[in-house]
Amino acid sequence: MRNRWKGWLGFPDDSGDPIQSAPDPHSVLPEDEIHRDESGDAIAKAVGKLPLRQQQAFLLRIWEGLDVAATAKAMGCSQGSVKTHLSRAMASLRRQLQEYR
């Protein structure tokens, strides 16, 4: 009862509730945030080194999540070309990002 009165009067709750003081399991540690930023920079740099059509295929299919047909329509090419460009882009990105690790 005493803690309830403290709360109503604006005093801090010193009950030491373990649930209130528990860390958020979904929070990101600062070092993980830095690593994620560095990884994102490395991916952006690697994508920027790809030829234009490979960049388009990768960004539309992987980044934007379009299916092969929609990507082909957006790129103005066949579905086979999309698959070829994406395959080459993925192989190149794997090579480039392997060096990053």
Side-chain angles (χ1 to χ4, degrees):
M1 188 68 171
R2 183 177 9 176
N3 288 333
R4 186 178 303 163
W5 281 103
K6 284 183 176 183
W8 287 337
L9 295 173
F11 293 107
D13 180 16
D14 59 355
S15 65
D17 183 4
I19 293 176
Q20 293 297 323
S21 61
D24 181 5
H26 301 291
S27 67
V28 179
L29 296 173
E31 56 268 18
D32 292 341
E33 186 72 31
I34 290 170
H35 182 66
R36 188 181 332 170
D37 289 345
E38 289 172 354
S39 297
D41 292 344
I43 292 169
K45 184 183 274 188
V47 169
K49 291 180 182 179
L50 294 173
L52 179 62
R53 298 299 272 179
Q54 290 180 20
Q55 284 182 25
Q56 291 171 339
F58 176 79
L59 293 173
L60 291 170
R61 285 281 294 128
I62 305 302
W63 212 262
E64 296 296 328
L66 297 180
D67 63 12
V68 176
T71 302
K73 186 175 181 179
M75 291 177 62
C77 64
S78 70
Q79 292 184 24
S81 291
V82 169
K83 293 175 186 178
T84 300
H85 290 307
L86 181 60
S87 174
R88 291 177 182 166
M90 295 297 284
S92 179
L93 291 172
R94 281 188 196 101
R95 279 192 307 275
Q96 289 182 59
L97 296 174
Q98 192 100 32
E99 298 167 4
Y100 170 74
R101 287 199 243 172

